[in-house]
Amino acid sequence: MSDLSPSLADPQKEANEPSSPVARFGPDTPLLMDCGVVLDRWQIAYQTYGELNAAKSNAILVCHALTGDQYVASRNPITGKGGWWTSMIGPGKPVDTERFFVICANVIGGCTGTTGPASTNPTTGKPWGLSFPVVTIRDMVRAQAALIDSLGIETLFCVAGGSMGGMQVLQWAASYPGRVFSALPLATGAKHSAQNIAFHEVGRQAVMADPDWRQGRYLEEGTRPAKGLSVARMGAHITYLSEQALHRKFGRKLQDREAPTFSFDADFQVESYLRHQGLSFVERFDANSYLYVTRAMDYFDLADDHDGVLARAFAGTKTRFCVASFTSDWLFPTADSRAIVHALNAAGASVSFVELESDKGHDAFLLEEPNLFATTRGFIGAAARARGL
């Protein structure tokens, strides 16, 4: 990292003028949001990999999870680290960029170039902060649809993503069924559980309890709620792992010492690990964006738009689905995926389902999981043959 540091980008500058391509929209293409607000000047930052074929039929949209970004398979300019899904996407990989045109966009409400609370409000010239309208998963998908339109793509060959990205996949299939040939929702659910909302609220309260949060005006006042956001990240990160993974990696091992210090220092390796996760996170992510994006996940309930009947969200769909879960994921357990599959079956959809054996917890979809790679490669390959690609 140290040799890359001098060339790393400023996170605040990236919020408005990202290093990636940007699609900008004006009053002729407003974003109508679920909360009733209309954004008449907004932008969406994205990255692409591979080439769009002449028929524009090989595009795959990858939707990122809670703290992800558009740099799915390329270097992040803020952290200097590689893309967050390079195990899955690239030449010869399950999502083969020599065969498909891959698009990944930062979500609306994010902080890496798509309009969000860290962006400059064009009306005031100041950061939006908490004056930014509250965002939903459907808003994120509407913004992505506008981007896809701007790229001249009518139908997506596949929409894929895990966790919050999986929520977006499901919303795409429900909102734009004629535009999604195949869908790959991983480690996700059709609604956020009460337990998950509770975890998010603890994180939001940690951010808002930091004196440097300044009622969301910290960018204007030159402060940063780093401590609160760090604690929020630490708490959330625990939910992404399994007890088995934590025990295998850390157990009760002490950190750089042979005996307890009888203090509140980070005696255990797991404590040091979580502190590192928290500190590194605040360098790349905006605190207000954390509030907005977690709230979007909390509000997500796909069946609620269809009189509480999830199957109606997929009525008449021609989209091909592959739903996958992991045995050790307690954030989005297999029961959540089964509920999606049951609804798709009730709607008469083409759907395959696999529960993958893994002890890595929720984050397994981001890690080296050969069974996931085989599942993805098989599903995408079969869908490509069905589409004549």
Side-chain angles (χ1 to χ4, degrees):
M1 269 294 292
S2 58
D3 59 326
L4 290 172
S5 295
S7 63
L8 297 184
D10 172 31
Q12 187 54 40
K13 184 177 183 297
E14 289 291 312
N16 288 300
E17 297 291 340
S19 302
S20 67
V22 179
R24 294 184 170 87
F25 301 91
D28 57 330
T29 316
L31 184 64
L32 283 65
M33 304 181 72
D34 282 346
C35 66
V37 173
V38 177
L39 287 181
D40 59 6
R41 283 180 287 175
W42 62 284
Q43 66 184 41
I44 185 167
Y46 66 99
Q47 281 280 27
T48 65
Y49 310 86
E51 294 185 6
L52 188 63
N53 62 15
K56 298 183 178 180
S57 61
N58 68 333
I60 295 179
L61 175 67
V62 175
C63 303
H64 71 72
L66 177 65
T67 61
D69 50 47
Q70 66 269 39
Y71 302 104
V72 61
S74 53
R75 178 182 180 272
N76 185 304
I78 298 173
T79 66
K81 296 180 179 179
W84 53 267
W85 221 7
T86 52
S87 60
M88 182 70 75
I89 299 170
K93 294 182 179 180
V95 180
D96 190 348
T97 51
E98 292 181 331
R99 187 178 185 186
F100 303 108
F101 179 62
V102 178
I103 309 158
C104 186
N106 188 219
V107 298
I108 194 80
C111 55
T112 322
T114 297
T115 303
S119 308
T120 300
N121 182 338
T123 301
T124 66
K126 298 178 181 179
W128 276 96
L130 293 194
S131 65
F132 193 73
V134 172
V135 171
T136 66
I137 298 295
R138 187 161 45 193
D139 293 332
M140 296 175 182
V141 169
R142 285 195 191 102
Q144 292 162 2
L147 168 64
I148 299 305
D149 288 343
S150 74
L151 296 174
I153 299 170
E154 183 176 344
T155 304
L156 291 164
F157 164 63
C158 184
V159 183
S163 193
M164 187 185 84
M167 290 178 170
Q168 294 165 65
V169 173
L170 296 173
Q171 187 67 66
W172 259 100
S175 295
Y176 305 101
R179 302 190 69 176
V180 181
F181 185 80
S182 62
L184 185 63
L186 308 172
T188 194
K191 63 181 177 182
H192 221 207
S193 69
Q195 177 177 259
N196 289 350
I197 294 170
F199 278 119
H200 276 174
E201 176 61 4
V202 170
R204 287 190 293 265
Q205 288 299 320
V207 171
M208 293 187 285
D210 190 321
D212 286 332
W213 183 61
R214 307 289 175 88
Q215 299 299 307
R217 295 189 298 271
Y218 52 88
L219 291 174
E220 287 185 61
E221 299 187 14
T223 63
R224 186 176 62 167
K227 292 180 180 178
L229 182 58
S230 177
V231 170
R233 174 63 170 179
M234 289 168 67
H237 196 73
I238 296 170
T239 70
Y240 305 150
L241 307 174
S242 67
E243 192 280 332
Q244 304 100 302
L246 284 170
H247 178 75
R248 182 181 66 250
K249 191 168 185 177
F250 304 110
R252 290 181 53 82
K253 298 173 187 175
L254 297 177
Q255 177 71 25
D256 299 329
R257 61 205 63 184
E258 296 182 357
T261 62
F262 295 96
S263 72
F264 296 102
D265 194 10
D267 276 4
F268 295 95
Q269 286 184 7
V270 68
E271 293 175 305
S272 180
Y273 169 76
L274 287 175
R275 292 185 187 189
H276 169 74
Q277 288 292 326
L279 290 173
S280 60
F281 181 64
V282 302
E283 297 300 322
R284 70 175 179 87
F285 210 85
D286 175 66
N288 282 339
S289 276
Y290 191 82
L291 305 183
Y292 276 80
V293 182
T294 56
R295 187 46 117 194
M297 291 185 72
D298 293 348
Y299 281 154
F300 185 65
D301 183 351
L302 196 55
D304 194 47
D305 298 328
H306 302 275
D307 299 321
V309 181
L310 183 57
R312 293 179 184 172
F314 307 112
T317 184
K318 302 300 182 184
T319 302
R320 305 161 65 99
F321 291 84
C322 178
V323 181
S325 67
F326 297 92
T327 55
S328 58
D329 184 354
W330 56 275
L331 193 65
F332 286 97
T334 293
D336 290 353
S337 290
R338 289 192 187 279
I340 296 167
V341 173
H342 292 158
L344 288 167
N345 283 331
S350 171
V351 56
S352 57
F353 168 65
V354 60
E355 181 184 31
L356 299 168
E357 186 74 32
S358 172
D359 70 352
K360 297 175 183 175
H362 181 62
D363 266 0
F365 78 94
L366 295 171
L367 305 175
E368 293 285 342
E369 285 288 352
N371 289 337
L372 174 62
F373 298 161
T375 296
T376 302
R377 191 185 299 275
F379 173 70
I380 290 178
R385 289 190 294 274
R387 202 177 198 197
L389 293 177

